[in-house]
Amino acid sequence: MRIDVLSIFPSYFDGLTLSLLGKAQDAGILDLSVRDLRDWTHDRHRTVDDTPYGGGAGMVMKPEPWGLALDEVTAGSEHPTIIFPSPAGEVFTQKTARELSVRDHLVFGCGRYEGIDERVFEYAASLGEVRLISLGDYVLNGGEVATMAMVEAIGRLIPGVVGNPDSLVEESHEDGLLEYPSYTKPSVWRERAVPDVLLSGNHGAIAAWRREQQLERTRRRRPDLLRAADADA
Ligand code: ADE
């Protein structure tokens, strides 16, 4: 998979070359390229923002650098998916991550300030599929942190990135429930014992206990997930 990130703070993404995603890049499974939006400005100050038409607080990102950057990174790409992280977008979930993990080419456009000139989204739709995606109902200073979260969630689903694919199946959100609790040695630690069933060797009983734990946790912490599953059924 090819991923291009456009940002005025490219160094935010240095961490993405570490660990799992770094190995995926070394192995040629993931081709990640982070580009500075200011490279597509043509004035001395490398200006990317300006005051909003109609007045109001803050600055708006100018369309020209975005247009040139999007033209360049999507040139020759058949079906790019162009993602703008935004608190005004659809909410990112594991389902979104799965859907995006099978695309050939993702472009992330990280906005800053009060947002990006609206015409950029219209223009981007002529180059590929455009998605405005929110990490959740809170406001970040820009799209960089949201992009990092999405690239990690998507990247680890690409076949070959996570060494043992079984570990992807049994985690929170994969079956609409939260993950069951895990324990390792020692069997007693600071007077706290591991639940007996996990030491029993009875695989049926262990599976049943884990399922019950998943349901109980989800009921307690995330009842909205159970309601959503009921509505789907
Ligand atoms: N940019 C600012 N806030 C955001 C959020 N909640 N999700 C994605 N991008 C954002």
Side-chain angles (χ1 to χ4, degrees), residues 6-7 12 16 52 105 120 139 146 155 166 202:
L6 300 169
S7 164
Y12 254 96
L16 276 180
H105 184 194
V120 172
V139 179
D166 286 349
N202 180 337

PDB file of all heavy atoms in Angstrom, residues 6-7 12 16 52 105 120 139 146 155 166 202:
ATOM      1  N   LEU A   6       0.332  14.792   3.637  1.00  0.00           N
ATOM      2  CA  LEU A   6       0.644  16.199   3.384  1.00  0.00           C
ATOM      3  C   LEU A   6       0.425  16.977   4.674  1.00  0.00           C
ATOM      4  O   LEU A   6      -0.663  16.921   5.252  1.00  0.00           O
ATOM      5  CB  LEU A   6      -0.271  16.756   2.284  1.00  0.00           C
ATOM      6  CG  LEU A   6      -0.177  16.041   0.934  1.00  0.00           C
ATOM      7  CD1 LEU A   6      -1.317  16.495   0.012  1.00  0.00           C
ATOM      8  CD2 LEU A   6       1.175  16.332   0.289  1.00  0.00           C
ATOM      9  N   SER A   7       1.464  17.708   5.121  1.00  0.00           N
ATOM     10  CA  SER A   7       1.396  18.370   6.425  1.00  0.00           C
ATOM     11  C   SER A   7       2.361  19.539   6.438  1.00  0.00           C
ATOM     12  O   SER A   7       3.382  19.508   5.740  1.00  0.00           O
ATOM     13  CB  SER A   7       1.785  17.351   7.513  1.00  0.00           C
ATOM     14  OG  SER A   7       2.080  17.996   8.731  1.00  0.00           O
ATOM     15  N   TYR A  12       6.322  15.579  12.765  1.00  0.00           N
ATOM     16  CA  TYR A  12       5.395  14.842  13.619  1.00  0.00           C
ATOM     17  C   TYR A  12       5.462  13.340  13.340  1.00  0.00           C
ATOM     18  O   TYR A  12       5.227  12.516  14.202  1.00  0.00           O
ATOM     19  CB  TYR A  12       3.955  15.254  13.274  1.00  0.00           C
ATOM     20  CG  TYR A  12       3.260  16.148  14.268  1.00  0.00           C
ATOM     21  CD1 TYR A  12       3.231  17.525  14.093  1.00  0.00           C
ATOM     22  CD2 TYR A  12       2.561  15.610  15.348  1.00  0.00           C
ATOM     23  CE1 TYR A  12       2.554  18.347  14.970  1.00  0.00           C
ATOM     24  CE2 TYR A  12       1.880  16.425  16.230  1.00  0.00           C
ATOM     25  CZ  TYR A  12       1.880  17.796  16.039  1.00  0.00           C
ATOM     26  OH  TYR A  12       1.209  18.607  16.900  1.00  0.00           O
ATOM     27  N   LEU A  16       6.477   7.285  13.079  1.00  0.00           N
ATOM     28  CA  LEU A  16       5.825   6.207  12.323  1.00  0.00           C
ATOM     29  C   LEU A  16       6.816   5.252  11.686  1.00  0.00           C
ATOM     30  O   LEU A  16       6.456   4.171  11.257  1.00  0.00           O
ATOM     31  CB  LEU A  16       4.924   6.790  11.231  1.00  0.00           C
ATOM     32  CG  LEU A  16       3.523   7.202  11.659  1.00  0.00           C
ATOM     33  CD1 LEU A  16       2.759   7.755  10.464  1.00  0.00           C
ATOM     34  CD2 LEU A  16       2.756   6.025  12.259  1.00  0.00           C
ATOM     35  N   PRO A  52     -10.099  34.686   6.705  1.00  0.00           N
ATOM     36  CA  PRO A  52     -11.327  34.133   6.116  1.00  0.00           C
ATOM     37  C   PRO A  52     -12.196  35.201   5.443  1.00  0.00           C
ATOM     38  O   PRO A  52     -12.378  36.290   6.005  1.00  0.00           O
ATOM     39  CB  PRO A  52     -12.068  33.525   7.322  1.00  0.00           C
ATOM     40  CG  PRO A  52     -11.530  34.228   8.517  1.00  0.00           C
ATOM     41  CD  PRO A  52     -10.147  34.701   8.184  1.00  0.00           C
ATOM     42  N   HIS A 105      -3.906   3.160  -2.470  1.00  0.00           N
ATOM     43  CA  HIS A 105      -3.220   4.448  -2.291  1.00  0.00           C
ATOM     44  C   HIS A 105      -4.075   5.372  -1.423  1.00  0.00           C
ATOM     45  O   HIS A 105      -5.182   5.747  -1.813  1.00  0.00           O
ATOM     46  CB  HIS A 105      -2.979   5.091  -3.672  1.00  0.00           C
ATOM     47  CG  HIS A 105      -2.193   6.361  -3.617  1.00  0.00           C
ATOM     48  ND1 HIS A 105      -2.118   7.229  -4.681  1.00  0.00           N
ATOM     49  CD2 HIS A 105      -1.438   6.921  -2.631  1.00  0.00           C
ATOM     50  CE1 HIS A 105      -1.357   8.260  -4.351  1.00  0.00           C
ATOM     51  NE2 HIS A 105      -0.937   8.096  -3.105  1.00  0.00           N
ATOM     52  N   VAL A 120     -11.059  23.073  -1.814  1.00  0.00           N
ATOM     53  CA  VAL A 120     -10.051  22.006  -1.898  1.00  0.00           C
ATOM     54  C   VAL A 120     -10.738  20.632  -1.854  1.00  0.00           C
ATOM     55  O   VAL A 120     -10.358  19.714  -2.588  1.00  0.00           O
ATOM     56  CB  VAL A 120      -9.012  22.142  -0.751  1.00  0.00           C
ATOM     57  CG1 VAL A 120      -8.079  20.934  -0.698  1.00  0.00           C
ATOM     58  CG2 VAL A 120      -8.222  23.436  -0.919  1.00  0.00           C
ATOM     59  N   VAL A 139     -11.689  18.202  19.839  1.00  0.00           N
ATOM     60  CA  VAL A 139     -10.967  18.972  18.829  1.00  0.00           C
ATOM     61  C   VAL A 139      -9.458  18.947  19.102  1.00  0.00           C
ATOM     62  O   VAL A 139      -9.003  19.262  20.199  1.00  0.00           O
ATOM     63  CB  VAL A 139     -11.483  20.434  18.786  1.00  0.00           C
ATOM     64  CG1 VAL A 139     -10.707  21.233  17.748  1.00  0.00           C
ATOM     65  CG2 VAL A 139     -12.971  20.454  18.466  1.00  0.00           C
ATOM     66  N   ALA A 146      -4.328  12.828  14.397  1.00  0.00           N
ATOM     67  CA  ALA A 146      -5.398  11.957  13.890  1.00  0.00           C
ATOM     68  C   ALA A 146      -4.867  11.080  12.756  1.00  0.00           C
ATOM     69  O   ALA A 146      -5.171   9.882  12.677  1.00  0.00           O
ATOM     70  CB  ALA A 146      -6.581  12.804  13.414  1.00  0.00           C
ATOM     71  N   GLY A 155      -2.471   0.480   9.004  1.00  0.00           N
ATOM     72  CA  GLY A 155      -1.229  -0.198   8.627  1.00  0.00           C
ATOM     73  C   GLY A 155      -1.109  -1.576   9.237  1.00  0.00           C
ATOM     74  O   GLY A 155      -0.665  -2.518   8.581  1.00  0.00           O
ATOM     75  N   ASP A 166      -3.454 -14.117  14.030  1.00  0.00           N
ATOM     76  CA  ASP A 166      -4.428 -14.481  15.068  1.00  0.00           C
ATOM     77  C   ASP A 166      -4.598 -13.352  16.076  1.00  0.00           C
ATOM     78  O   ASP A 166      -5.664 -13.176  16.650  1.00  0.00           O
ATOM     79  CB  ASP A 166      -3.978 -15.733  15.830  1.00  0.00           C
ATOM     80  CG  ASP A 166      -4.158 -16.981  14.979  1.00  0.00           C
ATOM     81  OD1 ASP A 166      -4.809 -16.864  13.921  1.00  0.00           O
ATOM     82  OD2 ASP A 166      -3.649 -18.039  15.374  1.00  0.00           O
ATOM     83  N   ASN A 202      -9.073 -26.451  30.661  1.00  0.00           N
ATOM     84  CA  ASN A 202     -10.360 -26.781  30.017  1.00  0.00           C
ATOM     85  C   ASN A 202     -10.680 -25.702  28.971  1.00  0.00           C
ATOM     86  O   ASN A 202     -11.160 -24.620  29.298  1.00  0.00           O
ATOM     87  CB  ASN A 202     -11.442 -26.845  31.108  1.00  0.00           C
ATOM     88  CG  ASN A 202     -12.812 -27.189  30.544  1.00  0.00           C
ATOM     89  OD1 ASN A 202     -13.074 -26.971  29.357  1.00  0.00           O
ATOM     90  ND2 ASN A 202     -13.680 -27.713  31.402  1.00  0.00           N
TER      91      ASN A 202
END
